[in-house]
Amino acid sequence: MNYSIDELREGALKALENISANDALANWRSQYLGRRGALGKLFGTIGRLPQAQRAGFGQQVNALQQELDAAYAQREQLIQSQLLARDLEEGEIDISLPARPQGRGGLHPSTRTHREFQTIWADMGFQVYHSRDVEADEFNFTLLNLPPHHPARDMQDTFYTTNSNVLLRTHTSPGQIRAMREFGAGGTKPIRVILPGMCYRQEQVTARSEIQFTQVEGLAIGRNIRMSDLKGTIAEFARRMYKPKAKVRFRASYFPFTEPSMEVDVECFLCGGAGCRVCKYTGWLEIAGSGMVHPTVLRNGGYDPSVWSGFAFGMGPERITMLKHGIQDIRYFWGNDLRFLQQF
Amino acid sequence: MLVPVSWLKDYVDIDIPVELLAERLTVAGLEVAHIRYIGLPQEPAPGVLMPRSEHLVWDREKLLLGRIVEVKSHPQADRLVLAMVDYGAPELEQCVTGATNLFGYKDQGEITPPIWSAFAMEGARVWDGHSAKPRQMTLKGKELRGIFNKSMVCSEKELGISDEHEGVIVMDHDERYVAGAPLADVLGDVVLDIELTPNLARCFSMIGVAREIAAILDGDMRYPSFDFVAEGPAIEGQVAIEIREPELNPRFTLTLLRDTRVKPSPFWMQRRLKLIGQRPRNNIVDVTNYITFELGQPLHAFDYDKLVERAGGAPTIITRLPDAGEDLKTLDDVRRDLGAETILVADTAGALSLGGVIGGGETEISEATRNVLVEAASWNNIGIRKTIKEQRVHTEASARFSRGVHPSQALLGCKRGIELMRRLGGGQAAQGLLDDYPLPPPTVTVELPVARVKRLLGMDVSLEQAADVLRRLEFDVTTDGDMLRATAPDHRLDISADPAVGQADLLEEIARIIGYDQIPETIMADEMPPQRENTAVFIEERIRDILVGQGLYEVISYRFTSRESEARLAPDGAPSPLPDAEYIEIANPAASERNVLRQTLMSNMLESAVNNARYQSSQRLFEVGKVYLGRGDLLPDEPLRLGILLTGARGRTWWQEGAIESDMDFYDMKGIVENMLAGLHIEDYRLERGTHGSYHPGRSAGLYIGRERIGAFGEIHPQVAARFKLTEAKVIYGELQVAPLIQRHQRLHTITPLPTTPAVLEDIALIVSADLPAGEVEAVIRQAGGRLLRDVTLFDVYSGDPIPAGKKSLAYSLTYQDENCTLTDKNAAKIRRKIIGAARHRLQAELRS
Ligand SMILES: [Zn+2]
């Protein structure tokens, strides 16, 4: 019988060594370790042995079972790791094949810039106010200190409607008057708003000029608003929008609805102020027109200019978007060409 | 405006580099757009960047002031001569030249006085005078028809002054310079191109700019003399003035110069005019131009004898409005019909010139003119603007008068002009001048407490500092305690008499001259206005985000279109789908296809789809934008609309088999719209079969929220699609009003707790009439299933064998769940029976086994 146990061990272990697949392993297991397997049969013979041999034989069979169990577990682990290795090796795909198309979608670049603006201004307490596109001449010009025949009316090529006193706003500034009258409570309440929107100019459409463009106007009215606040606020905006610690320059300029008026230049964010083609080698980019609200405009908004003061500014999101992305042709903005829109 | 620095230096000392001057002017509001260098090197100041100039820098050793003392003939060439040049060296230099303006001196012996010109030695760099394209070259010695030559006398082109290459430069003798002086010192210059904003009318001249520089640099102004030598008889009796419209012509002055000679101006005058882009004509006309640019006061010169001839005696100059039907032929050879608002300078025989704009041809200065009547007048700037608009004529005079020239300048211009003319042309000026000044502008004095300066600028400015700045700008300033009283100088019209506006005017001057860079940057300390919730903006942006999240691209179209373009949206015989509103029509459209404002986004979005179709197999677009609905005399309604457009393949071409999907259709649009409504938590919406004419009637729907129809979507009507040439693929479009979406969105919504009990799933298939809308079947199922029916998903629609004709099978998977307890099979079977019963009873449905 000893011979039989040794033979069985040898045969079983040898067979196990050649097994490399799960199903063969399962077969081996039932052949040797299953209820009706070889080992089972050996256990079955115990009862038939003489009493004296039973314990010894039983121990031998038990030892064999433990040995085969261990060998099985080891083999199983080996096969699993081999299979895993094969699987990892054979499961390789060509990662250079094109991706399965996923719909992406995107906001218009102008909207993206407007959102950036609105976020920054909202942090400084400026809320969005939407004003109308089709305006009365009075709001677009006269109430903004541009009476009929004012020389500065020449600066703006206006689209008029067939109703002689109605035009397409040439700037978002008429919204200043509307915001003051709506929120100023008869010139008794402070205001901080930004006025984004589409504006219109009767111009030749070229790579540089368009008949419609968006603007963002800002207006702050209070009892103690100073020109230094205008500088501080716009500089803060510029640094958040373009570059922390960017240099900001304020130049005297002229807008009929502000006095003093100024243009705001920010250090060119393309060359870091060292001079490049885009900033025309000056190191500066013009980003805003601004100034202290003209006393006449304050009055027209219902405020007493001897008590109240304010500042206003205007910016062109398209121009800024063009600078940021190297867009050479302003006509891309309303051309709705997906090849352009998909690049944002 | 072009401003030569050499000219400015007549009036003010400039002791800083021009590049820094340009920067200071720019920051002070006189934007220097360009700097032109003539012979001088560009020397950027520290911290001031500017484009590199590619001009020719004149070598101080090799480009010199020379005197041509004799011109000899070339022994072998008729078209060349030998100029003998004294350039300060012991020996004369012989230059071979083809300069035609020297031929007249050929073999005439010594020229007295000698001709002062520009002399270039061997090795000097100059522009190639013979090259059509700008090309620099270095002067080298070589034989020219047998005579060795290594230097030359230069033309303006060779020095980069102008394109003039006909002859060599011929200068006046300037006593400050001797032969051999570096040419850069004599003719070198820098010309600033300054862009003047409308408020800077007072700077529209050399003296105007010089004044600003004097204020900025705290220097002194040197005004030219306004005295004139008058040796002729008194002007009274020789001419008279009659102003009929003082509002339009507040001042008119005249002087008379007799026995003068009309001839070319001297070199210095011609040079200055050329530097500022003016063409020299003759000494009289050149002086009128010169004064226009020097002082900003345009002058006009008449041939006095022609006036006498017209009047048959001493003329009377009348300024008046035109008579009906009157016309005038102006200097530019245009015969002009004169509108009612054009102010004229006339005499008793008729119109002479458009006052302040352009002279008439008949009385202009010619070579034969001997007696010159000089006009310096003031014109109302609005009147001039009307004339410009009516006559479409722009001159240097009208450019200045239309912005405003203070009447005080007329007298100065008249005096300075007559004296310059006398010096250049000889003759005797009449004694005295005629000065009719019916309407002087009021003197403006502004009171400004210095505390207000601090308060509005946010900067500590002392009374003395503020007063000093204003005095530098020639204000007459007195102070009284904290109060500053400033009277505007008589060259300014831009200081307002309104106290608040006048203060702002002064504040700007104080801030500008002290420098905006000196004002600190502060954070607003003022009261913060109440912050309001801005739902409209929030929801508008939310809509954009939801649509982008579904793979749509935002477009922004022109808000312009034409009636014809939008009329295409109605198929033949169908009523217009557009709102019942007037169009906003543009009086001066950019193009006829953009002559009204849109009433729908549809037309422009379909256009966008056509344009994109050339490059895209699939398009998913949306636009959020206004449409414009006229309301008679009221300003139009400008409601916001949402347009969505889908066309082409649902997916893009891909390499795996079967990956190319079919074209997008109605159900893609429905999914996008429903997702958007879900994102806004709008639940009480429904669809009704479409009645909007632009869509396929069987494949479109109207969207209702509550009772309100807020728009429609569906497949574009084939006829409409064909008109837009969108025939390649179906176009699915939808347009919704945005306001109801904003109004109806659920700001707060409650979520359903996540159930912890298991759900029971089962499928049922119902056979119903083929024309029964699936929505009705689902509604019946949901109603019958009640609270415990959690979800209904239609997973198959089938008709054909073995389903009887006229019927279809709808297969649903149903989810039953009770959040309070586990549903038993018995409960589930009960719900199922209720559903099947309701379907049988209400829909005549059969259960498909
Ligand atoms: Zn740059």
Side-chain angles (χ1 to χ4, degrees), chain B residues 298-310:
Chain B
L299 300 188
H300 186 68
F302 296 98
D303 185 322
Y304 176 71
D305 295 331
K306 288 185 184 147
L307 293 172
V308 171
E309 199 182 302
R310 281 165 62 96

PDB file of all heavy atoms in Angstrom, chain B residues 298-310:
ATOM      1  N   PRO B 298      -7.123 129.950 -39.663  1.00  0.00           N
ATOM      2  CA  PRO B 298      -7.049 129.966 -41.122  1.00  0.00           C
ATOM      3  C   PRO B 298      -7.210 131.389 -41.673  1.00  0.00           C
ATOM      4  O   PRO B 298      -7.962 132.202 -41.137  1.00  0.00           O
ATOM      5  CB  PRO B 298      -8.227 129.087 -41.539  1.00  0.00           C
ATOM      6  CG  PRO B 298      -8.484 128.217 -40.345  1.00  0.00           C
ATOM      7  CD  PRO B 298      -8.189 129.092 -39.167  1.00  0.00           C
ATOM      8  N   LEU B 299      -6.477 131.685 -42.735  1.00  0.00           N
ATOM      9  CA  LEU B 299      -6.582 132.976 -43.411  1.00  0.00           C
ATOM     10  C   LEU B 299      -7.094 132.732 -44.820  1.00  0.00           C
ATOM     11  O   LEU B 299      -6.971 131.645 -45.360  1.00  0.00           O
ATOM     12  CB  LEU B 299      -5.207 133.648 -43.532  1.00  0.00           C
ATOM     13  CG  LEU B 299      -4.420 133.974 -42.270  1.00  0.00           C
ATOM     14  CD1 LEU B 299      -3.196 134.805 -42.646  1.00  0.00           C
ATOM     15  CD2 LEU B 299      -5.285 134.749 -41.280  1.00  0.00           C
ATOM     16  N   HIS B 300      -7.613 133.802 -45.404  1.00  0.00           N
ATOM     17  CA  HIS B 300      -7.957 133.708 -46.820  1.00  0.00           C
ATOM     18  C   HIS B 300      -7.457 134.975 -47.511  1.00  0.00           C
ATOM     19  O   HIS B 300      -7.553 136.068 -46.953  1.00  0.00           O
ATOM     20  CB  HIS B 300      -9.462 133.551 -46.999  1.00  0.00           C
ATOM     21  CG  HIS B 300      -9.832 133.313 -48.437  1.00  0.00           C
ATOM     22  ND1 HIS B 300      -9.492 132.146 -49.089  1.00  0.00           N
ATOM     23  CD2 HIS B 300     -10.460 134.089 -49.340  1.00  0.00           C
ATOM     24  CE1 HIS B 300      -9.911 132.226 -50.344  1.00  0.00           C
ATOM     25  NE2 HIS B 300     -10.506 133.399 -50.531  1.00  0.00           N
ATOM     26  N   ALA B 301      -6.883 134.794 -48.699  1.00  0.00           N
ATOM     27  CA  ALA B 301      -6.371 135.950 -49.442  1.00  0.00           C
ATOM     28  C   ALA B 301      -7.177 136.139 -50.724  1.00  0.00           C
ATOM     29  O   ALA B 301      -7.419 135.186 -51.453  1.00  0.00           O
ATOM     30  CB  ALA B 301      -4.893 135.725 -49.773  1.00  0.00           C
ATOM     31  N   PHE B 302      -7.627 137.370 -50.942  1.00  0.00           N
ATOM     32  CA  PHE B 302      -8.356 137.719 -52.182  1.00  0.00           C
ATOM     33  C   PHE B 302      -7.461 138.574 -53.064  1.00  0.00           C
ATOM     34  O   PHE B 302      -6.647 139.358 -52.569  1.00  0.00           O
ATOM     35  CB  PHE B 302      -9.592 138.565 -51.855  1.00  0.00           C
ATOM     36  CG  PHE B 302     -10.644 137.878 -51.046  1.00  0.00           C
ATOM     37  CD1 PHE B 302     -10.722 138.068 -49.673  1.00  0.00           C
ATOM     38  CD2 PHE B 302     -11.598 137.067 -51.666  1.00  0.00           C
ATOM     39  CE1 PHE B 302     -11.720 137.464 -48.918  1.00  0.00           C
ATOM     40  CE2 PHE B 302     -12.597 136.457 -50.914  1.00  0.00           C
ATOM     41  CZ  PHE B 302     -12.659 136.655 -49.536  1.00  0.00           C
ATOM     42  N   ASP B 303      -7.642 138.461 -54.352  1.00  0.00           N
ATOM     43  CA  ASP B 303      -7.033 139.411 -55.280  1.00  0.00           C
ATOM     44  C   ASP B 303      -7.880 140.689 -55.191  1.00  0.00           C
ATOM     45  O   ASP B 303      -9.013 140.746 -55.679  1.00  0.00           O
ATOM     46  CB  ASP B 303      -7.050 138.832 -56.704  1.00  0.00           C
ATOM     47  CG  ASP B 303      -6.315 139.739 -57.681  1.00  0.00           C
ATOM     48  OD1 ASP B 303      -6.425 140.975 -57.548  1.00  0.00           O
ATOM     49  OD2 ASP B 303      -5.649 139.199 -58.576  1.00  0.00           O
ATOM     50  N   TYR B 304      -7.323 141.703 -54.563  1.00  0.00           N
ATOM     51  CA  TYR B 304      -8.085 142.914 -54.257  1.00  0.00           C
ATOM     52  C   TYR B 304      -8.609 143.590 -55.526  1.00  0.00           C
ATOM     53  O   TYR B 304      -9.741 144.070 -55.567  1.00  0.00           O
ATOM     54  CB  TYR B 304      -7.183 143.877 -53.467  1.00  0.00           C
ATOM     55  CG  TYR B 304      -7.806 145.221 -53.168  1.00  0.00           C
ATOM     56  CD1 TYR B 304      -8.839 145.341 -52.244  1.00  0.00           C
ATOM     57  CD2 TYR B 304      -7.346 146.385 -53.803  1.00  0.00           C
ATOM     58  CE1 TYR B 304      -9.403 146.577 -51.955  1.00  0.00           C
ATOM     59  CE2 TYR B 304      -7.912 147.618 -53.524  1.00  0.00           C
ATOM     60  CZ  TYR B 304      -8.949 147.721 -52.601  1.00  0.00           C
ATOM     61  OH  TYR B 304      -9.501 148.938 -52.328  1.00  0.00           O
ATOM     62  N   ASP B 305      -7.787 143.572 -56.574  1.00  0.00           N
ATOM     63  CA  ASP B 305      -8.193 144.266 -57.801  1.00  0.00           C
ATOM     64  C   ASP B 305      -9.432 143.639 -58.423  1.00  0.00           C
ATOM     65  O   ASP B 305     -10.256 144.323 -59.019  1.00  0.00           O
ATOM     66  CB  ASP B 305      -7.043 144.288 -58.799  1.00  0.00           C
ATOM     67  CG  ASP B 305      -5.878 145.110 -58.263  1.00  0.00           C
ATOM     68  OD1 ASP B 305      -6.146 146.044 -57.470  1.00  0.00           O
ATOM     69  OD2 ASP B 305      -4.726 144.810 -58.598  1.00  0.00           O
ATOM     70  N   LYS B 306      -9.536 142.323 -58.281  1.00  0.00           N
ATOM     71  CA  LYS B 306     -10.734 141.667 -58.822  1.00  0.00           C
ATOM     72  C   LYS B 306     -11.973 142.064 -58.036  1.00  0.00           C
ATOM     73  O   LYS B 306     -13.068 142.185 -58.595  1.00  0.00           O
ATOM     74  CB  LYS B 306     -10.560 140.150 -58.830  1.00  0.00           C
ATOM     75  CG  LYS B 306      -9.575 139.723 -59.918  1.00  0.00           C
ATOM     76  CD  LYS B 306      -9.480 138.231 -60.038  1.00  0.00           C
ATOM     77  CE  LYS B 306      -8.405 137.874 -61.075  1.00  0.00           C
ATOM     78  NZ  LYS B 306      -7.724 136.640 -60.746  1.00  0.00           N
ATOM     79  N   LEU B 307     -11.791 142.275 -56.751  1.00  0.00           N
ATOM     80  CA  LEU B 307     -12.921 142.714 -55.924  1.00  0.00           C
ATOM     81  C   LEU B 307     -13.353 144.126 -56.332  1.00  0.00           C
ATOM     82  O   LEU B 307     -14.543 144.425 -56.422  1.00  0.00           O
ATOM     83  CB  LEU B 307     -12.541 142.701 -54.437  1.00  0.00           C
ATOM     84  CG  LEU B 307     -12.292 141.325 -53.820  1.00  0.00           C
ATOM     85  CD1 LEU B 307     -11.728 141.460 -52.412  1.00  0.00           C
ATOM     86  CD2 LEU B 307     -13.595 140.505 -53.787  1.00  0.00           C
ATOM     87  N   VAL B 308     -12.328 144.963 -56.579  1.00  0.00           N
ATOM     88  CA  VAL B 308     -12.631 146.341 -56.993  1.00  0.00           C
ATOM     89  C   VAL B 308     -13.378 146.324 -58.325  1.00  0.00           C
ATOM     90  O   VAL B 308     -14.376 147.023 -58.514  1.00  0.00           O
ATOM     91  CB  VAL B 308     -11.323 147.161 -57.104  1.00  0.00           C
ATOM     92  CG1 VAL B 308     -11.595 148.525 -57.743  1.00  0.00           C
ATOM     93  CG2 VAL B 308     -10.675 147.332 -55.730  1.00  0.00           C
ATOM     94  N   GLU B 309     -12.921 145.461 -59.193  1.00  0.00           N
ATOM     95  CA  GLU B 309     -13.537 145.340 -60.514  1.00  0.00           C
ATOM     96  C   GLU B 309     -15.006 144.909 -60.397  1.00  0.00           C
ATOM     97  O   GLU B 309     -15.896 145.481 -61.023  1.00  0.00           O
ATOM     98  CB  GLU B 309     -12.748 144.283 -61.277  1.00  0.00           C
ATOM     99  CG  GLU B 309     -12.905 144.291 -62.779  1.00  0.00           C
ATOM    100  CD  GLU B 309     -12.079 143.130 -63.353  1.00  0.00           C
ATOM    101  OE1 GLU B 309     -10.846 143.091 -63.105  1.00  0.00           O
ATOM    102  OE2 GLU B 309     -12.676 142.254 -64.008  1.00  0.00           O
ATOM    103  N   ARG B 310     -15.238 143.906 -59.550  1.00  0.00           N
ATOM    104  CA  ARG B 310     -16.596 143.403 -59.353  1.00  0.00           C
ATOM    105  C   ARG B 310     -17.494 144.482 -58.758  1.00  0.00           C
ATOM    106  O   ARG B 310     -18.661 144.615 -59.122  1.00  0.00           O
ATOM    107  CB  ARG B 310     -16.602 142.207 -58.388  1.00  0.00           C
ATOM    108  CG  ARG B 310     -16.186 140.903 -59.007  1.00  0.00           C
ATOM    109  CD  ARG B 310     -15.861 139.877 -57.932  1.00  0.00           C
ATOM    110  NE  ARG B 310     -17.000 139.552 -57.086  1.00  0.00           N
ATOM    111  CZ  ARG B 310     -17.809 138.502 -57.270  1.00  0.00           C
ATOM    112  NH1 ARG B 310     -17.585 137.679 -58.290  1.00  0.00           N
ATOM    113  NH2 ARG B 310     -18.821 138.281 -56.466  1.00  0.00           N
TER     114      ARG B 310
END
